[in-house]
Amino acid sequence: MLDDSILTHESTVTFIQRIYQMMDRTSRSIGDVAFAEQALLVNAAESDGGFSLRLFQTKPAQSANSSISIDALLEKELAVRVRNRNDRRGYAIKATDKGRNRIALVDRAIALTLIDTERRLTEDLYEELVMRARTFSDAVNPRHRVTTFLPGALAGYLSAYQFAVERESAYAGLTSLQVSILCCLSGQTERCSAGHIAACTGLSVEMAELNLEHLLDRQAVRNTNGLWELRDDGRQRLSTFMERFKVRVEDIVGSFDDEQFSHAEQLAELSSYLFA
């Protein structure tokens, strides 16, 4: 199902990194809530009676840090643990009024940040993005009541995608930002500047240059007169990452039916156009 899928393109890895980092920074700026915590909180708010902890912890779309995220929400009084009314042997988490207020603040901040920073995001494209996000959410969680710009299902899968990038980057001996840079370089037909790479990945020029220097030390890239390109070692590291990453994404979306997968592809295509 994932052969030649945009969900496993190098360009998709780059724009997912870019969007996730932006959303995480924005979320943390509103009361120090990490985006992974925000994703869980939104799911809890959308589900009547709370979000099943057993379901959350067994879904492949969730990261290995789920218990940390849950504890953080409880400690900040953004959610409470309640009996799961659909399974009395288990528990669910339910958003508090404070948590719902935080959801609204973060959701609005993320929407405004996207509008302010992405010049391609016109009013019409923004409405289409919201529509496709809601359609994807309805296909994955038809019982959830979505009231936010970023539905819980989409936020959860975005967090899982980012976790997959981080995990497989480490296996390839790289950071997720370095993989994002290599993905960017792999799509170039000629050498490019650090400024171009920064624009492609959403990093500051200083951060792009710092990571490029680390990659240069590891002989993954080459610098010629201030312009950058991939070396064979960088291509091999990226190939190692992509092979394992595709398997990881299969775990994430493996339970999708054809309709859900189609919605995910359409959303990825629109997002790639807007943010890549």
Side-chain angles (χ1 to χ4, degrees):
M1 181 170 65
L2 293 178
D3 291 345
D4 298 322
S5 168
I6 191 173
L7 297 174
T8 51
H9 283 180
E10 286 88 344
S11 63
T12 306
V13 173
T14 299
F15 85 72
I16 285 288
Q17 279 274 284
R18 176 177 176 175
I19 294 303
Y20 186 90
Q21 296 296 331
M22 183 278 294
M23 289 184 174
D24 191 53
R25 287 194 301 270
T26 303
S27 183
R28 289 179 185 275
S29 71
I30 310 296
D32 193 28
V33 178
F35 185 72
E37 298 166 4
Q38 173 76 2
L40 175 54
L41 184 60
V42 174
N43 273 292
E46 290 177 351
S47 181
D48 288 335
F51 191 44
S52 168
L53 294 184
R54 182 175 299 176
L55 175 64
F56 174 78
Q57 291 167 340
T58 57
K59 287 181 68 173
Q62 308 304 337
S63 77
N65 295 322
S66 59
S67 61
I68 298 175
S69 298
I70 291 168
D71 289 343
L73 294 177
L74 297 176
E75 290 172 3
K76 295 170 184 174
E77 299 181 343
L78 302 176
V80 292
R81 185 182 282 110
V82 297
R83 281 288 185 184
N84 186 348
R85 66 185 187 186
N86 297 318
D87 181 1
R88 295 187 179 277
R89 297 168 299 174
Y91 287 88
I93 64 165
K94 190 173 183 178
T96 62
D97 289 342
K98 181 179 178 180
R100 292 179 184 277
N101 289 336
R102 184 64 53 80
I103 289 171
L105 287 172
V106 173
D107 190 68
R108 177 171 173 77
I110 287 175
L112 290 175
T113 301
L114 282 175
I115 292 170
D116 288 343
T117 59
E118 303 301 333
R119 286 175 289 181
R120 290 186 184 181
L121 192 58
T122 64
E123 184 175 346
D124 288 343
L125 284 173
Y126 176 81
E127 291 178 358
E128 184 178 354
L129 182 64
V130 172
M131 181 273 290
R132 292 198 187 186
R134 296 282 174 88
T135 301
F136 171 75
S137 177
D138 290 342
V140 175
N141 288 328
R143 296 182 180 180
H144 279 204
R145 294 177 292 112
V146 177
T147 60
T148 57
F149 157 73
L150 190 68
L154 182 56
Y157 280 104
L158 180 58
S159 294
Y161 210 97
Q162 171 68 13
F163 180 70
V165 172
E166 292 175 354
R167 179 168 179 169
E168 301 313 327
S169 295
Y171 182 87
L174 302 165
T175 67
S176 59
L177 293 181
Q178 289 167 358
V179 161
S180 181
I181 289 173
L182 294 183
C183 286
C184 174
L185 286 172
S186 73
Q188 305 300 317
T189 58
E190 55 187 27
R191 298 166 184 163
C192 55
S193 67
H196 177 83
I197 294 169
C200 175
T201 57
L203 298 172
S204 67
V205 175
E206 292 78 9
M207 183 61 70
E209 289 175 339
L210 178 62
N211 280 277
L212 283 165
E213 290 296 335
H214 283 298
L215 290 169
L216 182 65
D217 289 342
R218 307 178 79 169
Q219 299 185 337
V221 297
R222 180 183 294 110
N223 184 297
T224 305
N225 298 324
L227 298 178
W228 298 88
E229 63 182 327
L230 274 180
R231 294 186 61 173
D232 288 342
D233 184 76
R235 294 185 188 281
Q236 183 58 50
R237 286 177 183 269
L238 183 57
S239 177
T240 298
F241 164 82
M242 291 303 302
E243 288 176 6
R244 293 179 59 89
F245 178 69
K246 289 179 180 180
V247 175
R248 187 67 55 187
V249 175
E250 183 70 58
D251 289 340
I252 295 173
V253 303
S255 61
F256 283 4
D257 59 29
D258 290 343
E259 180 184 13
Q260 292 169 340
F261 187 80
S262 175
H263 290 318
E265 285 269 289
Q266 292 172 13
L267 186 59
E269 287 175 2
L270 176 61
S271 300
S272 181
Y273 167 74
L274 292 174
F275 309 125

